[in-house]
Amino acid sequence: MKILIAKPGLDGHDRGAKVVAQALRDAGVEVVYTGLKRTPEEIVQEAIQEDVDVIGLSILSGAHVPLSRRVLDGLRAQGADEIKVVVGGIIPPRDVAPLLAIGVSRVFPMGTPLPDVVSAFMAGRAERPDEGDEPMKDVRLHAGIPVKPVYGPEDLRAAEFERDIGRPGEYPYTRGIHRHMYRERLWTMRQYIGFGTPGETNARFKYLMAHGQDALNVAFDLPTQLGLDSDHPRAEGEVGMVGMAVDSLADMEEAFAGIPLDRVSVSLTINGMAAPITAMYYAVAEQQGAPPDRVVTTPQNDILKEFVARGTWVYPVEPSLRLVADLIEFSARQYPRSNPVSVCGYHIREAGCTTAQEMAYGLAIAAAYVELMQARGMAVDDFAPRISFNFTCWGKIFEEVAKFRAGRRLYARMMRERFGATNPKSWMFRSLIGGGGSAFTVQEPENNIVRGAYIALAAALSGAQTMALPTYDEAYTIPSAKAQLIALRTMQICAEESGAADTVDPLAGSYFVEALTGQMEQAIVEQMAHVERMGGIVEAVKAGTIQAEVARQAYLFEQRLTTGEIAKVGVNCHVGDRAADADREVELYRFDLKVAEAQVAKLQRVRRERDGGVVGSALRRLGEEARGSANLMPPIMEAVKAYATLGEIAQAMKNVFGEHKEPVKW
C-alpha cells in the first residue's frame, strides 16, 4: 500500500500530518509527504504521479468539506477515482456525514488515537507494551532530564547565589525581572480572540473587557495571515473561520471601534503580514488621536518561527527577514512603547519540540533578530528593551518553572555579554506565558478546565508578565463566549485566591527547583550549540533541518503518549473499559456562510469608494522601494491609508520578492 499524506488549504500546522506519516512508515506503509499549502489540483496530480492507493488529507483550517470535494472531483475528472481519500483533523461531528456523503472513505476526527489510524490501514492494532511490575516509576521530563525521588543540599553544590540565583529585579533575573513582581503589578490577562467579521470580533473584545480582561490578543483568519483578500480563490471556505477577516483599513477601524488604543494594550498574532497589519493598527490609532508614544501593541512578527512551525510564511527567508527588521526599526523610532517583535517559542513547542528546545530555539531566533538590527547600524539598546517573548507552560509544573528561570538568566547573559547591551531593560526576558491547545483533549473536555488552572499556576510561578489560557473546548471548536469567560476567571482566581501572587518566586531555594533550573540551563545551552552546528538558526531554517528535528520530536512525544509513558487522564489512563468518546454537548462554533458573503461585499464596496489613482500610486511606490533597500513601512503606511487591500499590498511585494518554497526535509 502507498499513501500520499497531503496538507491542503492555508493552514500551516503540520505536526499531526508528520506524526501520522511517520507512524505509517514505521508500520511498513510506503508514505509520500508533499509539504504545506498544497492546492487540491496539485494533490490530485501528485497522487497520480506517485501512483498511490490512498490520499490522506490533514486539514485543520475548517475548510475540510470544500477542499475534500475538490480533491475527489479532481480524481474523478482524471479517471483516478479508484484512489481512496481519507480525512483527518479538527472535524466537528456534524461534518462527518457530509464528508462521507461526498465520497470520503474514512474520517479521523481530532483525538483519534494514533494506533487506530494505523490499524485502519494495517491488520491488527498496536498493543500497549507490558509495563511490568517495577517497584518505582522512572520519571523523565520532556527535556529528557531524569527526576530523582529526593533532592537535597548535595544537589546545589555547584550553584552560586549571586551568579545563578540572585535577587528579583536584578541581573541575571533568574527570580523574575521586577523586584516585587505581582505585589506591585499583576500579570496582564490576554485571551486570544478573533473570528468571523471585525464586527463580531469587536463584540467579543468588549464582552471580555467588561468581565475584567485588561488587554487584547487578536486572532486573524488564514487568508489574512497569508496576505489574500477574502475574494481570492484560495480563500474559499477559509474567510473568518479561525480568526478575524481583515481586507483593508476599514476592517481594522471596525474591529477597534470604541476601544481606546492609547489605553488598551493589543497583541496582533500576525507574522508574514505583520508589517501591513501593524500599519493598519497604527493608522487606526492615528485616526483616534492617540499619541504615538501612548500606543502599546505587540505584533508577533516572528517569521523564523513561522518557517519552523506555524507555516504562515509568504516570501522567501531573506525578504521576510527584511520586513521583520523594517517593522522593528520603524516602530522603535515612531512608536517607542510598541513591542515590534514577539519571539514565539509557543508555536514551535506546539509543533512538537521539547521544553529545552523551545527555549533554545527562541533564544537563537532572538539573537538572529538582534544581529539583523545591528547589521543595520542600530545600537542594541535602541530596540532590545522592546523585544518580547511568547512561550508555553502546559507541561509538568516544575519543569516549566525551571525552563523560564534558566531562560531568563541565559537571555540576560547573552544580551549583556554577547551583544554588549548596557541598558538593564535590554537584559530582561519579558514574556507572555500560557498554555497550548495541544495540552487539551477531546475526551472529557471539562477536565481541560482543571488543566487550565494548573497552566495558570505554572505561568504565575514562572514569572509571566502576560498570561493567556486555552479554553476547555479548544480541542473541538473556536472558543465559545462561555469557555473564554471560564479561562479568564481561571486566571483571575489564580491571581486573587490562590496566593501565587503574594510573594516573588516562591519556589526559590527549593533543592529540586534550583537543581532542575541548572540542569535545564545546561540542556538549553546544548540545544543552542546544536543549532550553531547546523550553521545557525537562519541557515537551519532555510535547509529545513530545524523543521525535521521538530517533526522527529513530535513523533517521539506521540509514541510516549501512545504507550502511556506520558499520562493523559481520561485518554490513556483512568479510562475504565475504554476512553470516552467526543462530547456532543460541547457548544460548537457554527460558521454562517453569510459572514464570508458580507466580508466580500464590504471589500468590494471599499474598492468602489476609494480613490483608485491614489491607491495605484501608493502600490507602485511600494513595488519600486521593495526593489531597493529602504525601509518599507512608510510606503506600506501610505498604501494602507489609501485603503489598498491587504492582498494588493502583499502582491506588490510578491511581484518583487517571489514566494517561499518549502524545503520538505523529513
Side-chain angles (χ1 to χ4, degrees), residues 211-506:
H211 287 84
Q213 179 162 307
D214 51 3
L216 300 174
N217 188 0
V218 186
F220 297 94
D221 71 1
L222 288 169
T224 301
Q225 293 184 54
L226 292 168
L228 302 175
D229 288 336
S230 293
D231 59 356
H232 191 284
R234 296 202 68 183
E236 181 187 359
E238 308 269 14
V239 177
M241 284 294 292
V242 297
M244 174 177 72
V246 172
D247 292 309
S248 73
L249 177 58
D251 292 318
M252 292 291 271
E253 291 167 348
E254 184 177 3
F256 294 103
I259 297 173
L261 299 188
D262 59 346
R263 298 199 297 275
V264 177
S265 171
V266 179
S267 290
L268 306 169
T269 303
I270 193 78
N271 294 277
M273 289 292 106
I277 289 294
T278 307
M280 292 181 191
Y281 185 87
Y282 288 154
V284 173
E286 183 179 320
Q287 289 176 356
Q288 292 185 359
D293 62 355
R294 296 292 303 166
V295 175
V296 181
T297 185
T298 306
Q300 201 161 93
N301 195 30
D302 179 6
I303 200 62
L304 288 175
K305 168 267 301 180
E306 292 298 313
F307 289 119
V308 173
R310 178 60 185 85
T312 63
W313 31 258
V314 178
Y315 311 112
V317 174
E318 293 300 337
S320 294
L321 287 171
R322 173 186 174 181
L323 288 170
V324 170
D326 284 351
L327 182 53
I328 294 173
E329 182 180 34
F330 179 84
S331 299
R333 291 174 174 160
Q334 303 294 329
Y335 292 88
R337 293 189 65 200
S338 69
N339 307 295
V341 63
S342 182
V343 177
C344 189
Y346 169 98
H347 286 114
I348 305 177
R349 179 83 177 281
E350 287 291 274
C353 76
T354 70
T355 48
Q357 288 174 328
E358 178 190 12
M359 185 60 70
Y361 297 165
L363 295 179
I365 288 170
Y369 294 149
V370 173
E371 291 172 343
L372 189 66
M373 301 316 297
Q374 287 184 318
R376 288 194 170 204
M378 289 192 76
V380 66
D381 289 323
D382 288 345
F383 63 89
R386 305 310 298 176
I387 295 174
S388 65
F389 293 83
N390 182 343
F391 279 70
T392 65
C393 66
W394 54 257
K396 291 178 180 279
I397 290 177
F398 300 112
E399 180 178 15
E400 298 292 350
V401 171
K403 177 185 74 180
F404 285 104
R405 297 173 92 247
R408 274 194 296 271
R409 71 190 186 205
L410 282 170
Y411 182 70
R413 290 169 182 163
M414 180 178 79
M415 295 305 292
R416 189 171 81 167
E417 298 170 13
R418 176 176 168 184
F419 292 114
T422 58
N423 183 347
K425 290 185 178 179
S426 297
W427 309 334
M428 295 180 181
F429 182 97
R430 300 179 304 124
S431 186
L432 179 151
I433 302 176
S438 64
F440 285 5
T441 67
V442 168
Q443 297 87 350
E444 301 176 10
E446 291 86 353
N447 294 344
N448 295 331
I449 299 173
V450 182
R451 293 185 177 102
Y454 284 122
I455 289 171
L457 179 60
L461 294 174
S462 296
Q465 280 63 64
T466 297
M467 190 183 297
L469 293 183
T471 59
Y472 78 90
D473 57 359
E474 194 157 326
Y476 286 81
T477 183
I478 290 173
S480 66
K482 175 184 176 182
Q484 284 192 319
L485 182 58
I486 290 173
L488 176 60
R489 292 295 190 229
T490 300
M491 292 185 287
Q492 291 168 336
I493 290 168
C494 182
E496 305 293 348
E497 299 182 23
S498 74
D502 290 350
T503 191
V504 180
D505 192 23

Side-chain angles (χ1 to χ4, degrees), residues 27-68:
V29 178
E30 187 176 356
V31 178
V32 178
Y33 174 69
T34 53
L36 295 168
K37 302 177 189 173
R38 313 306 293 166
T39 67
E41 293 72 26
E42 289 171 334
I43 291 168
V44 169
Q45 291 304 314
E46 289 159 352
I48 293 171
Q49 290 168 7
E50 293 287 346
D51 192 23
V52 302
D53 302 292
V54 178
I55 298 173
L57 300 178
S58 173
I59 308 174
L60 303 184
S61 66
H64 35 269
V65 175
L67 289 171
S68 300

